[in-house]
Amino acid sequence: MSLHQPKVRRAAIAFILVTAVLDIVAMGIVIPVLPHLIEEFVGSNARAGLLNGVFVALWAGMQFLASPVIGSLSDQYGRRPVILISCAGLAADYVLMALAPNLWWLAAGRLIAGVTSSSFTTIYAYMADITEPEKRARAYGLIGAAFSGGFVLGPVLGGFLGEFGPRVPFWVAAGLSGVAFLYGLFILPESLTPEKRMKFSWRRANPVGAMILLKRHAELTGLAVVNFLLYFAHHVFSAVFVLYAGLRYDWGPWQVGALLALVGVLDMVVQGGLVGPISKKLGDRMTMILGLCGGTVGIALMGWAPTGVAFIAAMLPNALWGLAMPTLQSLMTRRVSESEQGQLQGANMSVASIAGVASPLFFGWVYSVSVGEGGGAAASWLATHGLNAFATTVDAALSDPGLAFYMAAVVLALAALIGWITARKAERDEVTSV
C-alpha cells in the first residue's frame, strides 16, 4: 500500500509526529537540570554559563559532522532505520550522562547526543517524502508543533523530576527514548520508495560536500544564511537562559520548566495552528519575515525585562518566531529534487550546527562577562585614554545581564533583512521563468 494514498499518508504523518514528540520530550527533560549539574561540578554561576555554552557547542559540533552523513544514509537506506538507530543511541547516551561522575563524562555524553539527535534531518526528509511541495509549510509547521509539544511536556517533567535530584531526569529521558525506539520499530512505516533512493557518497555526505548543494542556487545560499542566523540567535536560550533566569528572577528548575512549557504551548499554537492559514494568505516569504520580526521584538524585550512577569509578557511577540522555520524550510525544499531532500536537510543541519558551535560559545562568553567582570576592563581602558563619559556607558552596557538577548535580537533583525531580499529575488525569478 502506497504512502501517497490519503489514509496511509495521514497515518504516516501521525506516526512520525508521535516519534518526534517522544524524542523531544526526552531531550526537553534534561534542559532545566543540565546547567545546574554543571554548576555543581564547577561551583560558579558565571563559569557554569561559559561551560554550558561549551557543552552546547560540543553537541552542535557533532551534529555538523554527523548530519550530512545521516541525511545521505537515509537517502540510500530509507528514513526508518536511521530514526530507529537514533532513538536507541539516545537511550544509551542518557544512561551514560545519568551515571556521569565528572564533567568529562558529561562532555562525552553531549558528543554522543550530537550524533544520535542528528536524525532530525531524517524527520524533515520523511515529511518531504509524503507531502506535496505546496503543502510542506503546513507539514513542517506540524513537525514544529510536535517538537513544541515535546518541549511542553519535557521541561515541566524535567523541572519536577529535578527537585528530586539533577540526575533523575536523565534516567527518565533514557526510558522515553527507549519507548520511542519500540514505537518506531513496530509502528513507523518507511517513506522513501526504492526507485527514489540515491546511492551513498562521501563526496555528498561530508559537511563541506553536503553544503555544495546550497551553492547550486543563489537563493538557497541566501536562505541558508538566514537559517544560520536564526539558529545562531536561538541558541541564546540553550546557552544562558537557565542560569540567567536563576540569577535575575531567582527561578529554580520547576519555574524554568514551567516557563519552557509555556514557550512550547505558544509554539504549538503558532506552528500547528497559524503557519498554514497565514502562509496561505501572505505567502511563505512574508510569513517568514513576520516571524523573524516578531522574534526580534520579543527577544529584545526579554533582555530588558526587569521582572519575571515582564519576561513572560515578552514571550507573546517572541512566539511569532515559530512562523519562520517552517516557511523557510518550505522555501528551500521547493528548489531541490525528491532524491535530494535528505541531502538538503543534512546540509541545513550542518549550517545550523555551525551556528550551534559558534553561538553558545559566543553567548556563554557574553553572559559570563556581563554577570562577572562586566565592562570593567574596557571601561578602564577608555578611562585611561580620557573617555570617562563613554567608559561609564560601556561599563553599564556590558554589565547588563540581558546583553546576550540584545545581541540575539540584532542577529534576528539581520536574518529578516537577508530573508526579505533573498526570497523576494527567488519569487521574481520563478515568475520570470514561467
Side-chain angles (χ1 to χ4, degrees):
M1 187 175 290
S2 172
L3 271 173
H4 291 283
Q5 295 179 17
K7 288 185 177 179
V8 179
R9 185 168 61 247
R10 286 196 296 271
I13 291 174
F15 297 153
I16 199 65
L17 292 179
V18 170
T19 303
V21 167
L22 288 171
D23 221 12
I24 294 298
V25 168
M27 294 182 67
I29 279 178
V30 306
I31 290 176
V33 295
L34 180 59
H36 292 298
L37 187 57
I38 295 172
E39 190 173 10
E40 280 190 10
F41 282 127
V42 300
S44 165
N45 183 276
R47 192 179 174 205
L50 183 61
L51 285 175
N52 189 54
V54 171
F55 274 42
V56 176
L58 288 174
W59 179 84
M62 292 308 297
Q63 283 213 320
F64 171 71
L65 297 173
S67 291
V69 175
I70 289 175
S72 293
L73 285 171
S74 77
D75 282 341
Q76 176 172 350
Y77 297 107
R79 319 301 185 195
R80 184 174 181 271
V82 171
I83 294 172
L84 292 178
I85 292 171
S86 168
C87 292
L90 276 175
D93 180 55
Y94 287 129
V95 171
L96 172 68
M97 288 192 286
L99 297 171
N102 53 50
L103 284 174
W104 292 107
W105 277 53
L106 280 180
R110 297 311 290 162
L111 290 171
I112 296 171
V115 175
T116 53
S117 62
S118 294
S119 67
F120 291 149
T121 62
T122 309
I123 289 176
Y124 279 108
Y126 189 109
M127 193 63 81
D129 292 340
I130 61 176
T131 309
E132 294 83 359
E134 64 275 10
K135 296 181 180 179
R136 283 177 186 162
R138 181 178 181 277
Y140 288 135
L142 290 175
I143 292 179
F147 286 168
S148 300
F151 276 116
V152 171
L153 299 174
V156 168
L157 187 56
F160 171 74
L161 294 170
E163 298 294 333
F164 298 96
R167 298 175 187 271
V168 174
F170 289 94
W171 289 108
V172 177
L176 286 172
S177 291
V179 170
F181 168 77
L182 293 174
Y183 181 87
L185 181 64
F186 292 108
I187 301 296
L188 189 68
E190 180 54 63
S191 64
L192 188 63
T193 55
E195 64 272 14
K196 290 184 178 180
R197 298 185 183 185
M198 180 181 291
K199 185 175 178 59
F200 179 86
S201 165
W202 280 110
R203 181 179 60 83
R204 295 184 299 108
N206 71 82
V208 176
M211 287 189 287
I212 290 176
L213 177 67
L214 301 176
K215 294 179 61 178
R216 293 179 188 170
H217 308 280
E219 63 272 20
L220 272 184
T221 303
L223 292 174
V225 172
V226 176
N227 193 36
F228 172 84
L229 294 174
L230 190 154
Y231 275 101
F232 190 96
H234 194 269
H235 274 293
V236 71
F237 293 101
S238 58
V240 307
F241 169 65
V242 174
L243 298 170
Y244 170 82
L247 176 71
R248 193 162 191 181
Y249 310 122
D250 198 28
W251 288 346
W254 170 244
Q255 290 94 332
V256 168
L259 186 73
L260 290 173
L262 180 57
V263 171
V265 170
L266 292 174
D267 225 21
M268 286 179 64
V269 172
V270 172
Q271 296 203 50
L274 299 183
V275 169
I278 292 178
S279 64
K280 184 176 181 180
K281 183 176 180 61
L282 300 181
D284 285 349
R285 174 171 64 92
M286 289 302 300
T287 304
M288 178 183 68
I289 300 305
L290 176 61
L292 292 171
C293 289
T296 299
V297 173
I299 204 167
L301 290 174
M302 288 177 176
W304 162 82
T307 66
V309 173
F311 187 95
I312 293 171
M315 291 165 53
L316 296 177
N318 189 70
L320 293 176
W321 196 345
L323 297 172
M325 180 54 73
T327 44
L328 175 60
Q329 288 279 349
S330 178
L331 286 168
M332 298 185 80
T333 58
R334 295 181 195 176
R335 288 161 176 80
V336 300
S337 67
E338 295 301 316
S339 63
E340 294 176 311
Q341 291 296 330
Q343 185 185 358
L344 171 64
Q345 297 304 333
N348 277 341
M349 191 59 72
S350 290
V351 170
S353 298
I354 294 173
V357 172
S359 175
L361 294 175
F362 174 72
F363 287 124
W365 171 76
V366 169
Y367 177 77
S368 179
V369 168
S370 65
V371 303
E373 64 184 26
S380 177
W381 184 88
L382 291 169
T384 59
H385 288 75
L387 300 172
N388 293 322
F390 192 46
T392 302
T393 302
V394 169
D395 186 40
L398 295 182
S399 299
D400 188 331
L403 180 62
F405 289 89
Y406 294 140
M407 291 187 170
V410 172
V411 171
L412 268 188
L414 180 61
L417 177 62
I418 295 173
W420 168 269
I421 294 171
T422 303
R424 187 180 184 185
K425 182 180 183 301
E427 287 182 356
R428 285 179 175 176
D429 291 345
E430 285 179 357
V431 171
T432 302
S433 64
V434 173

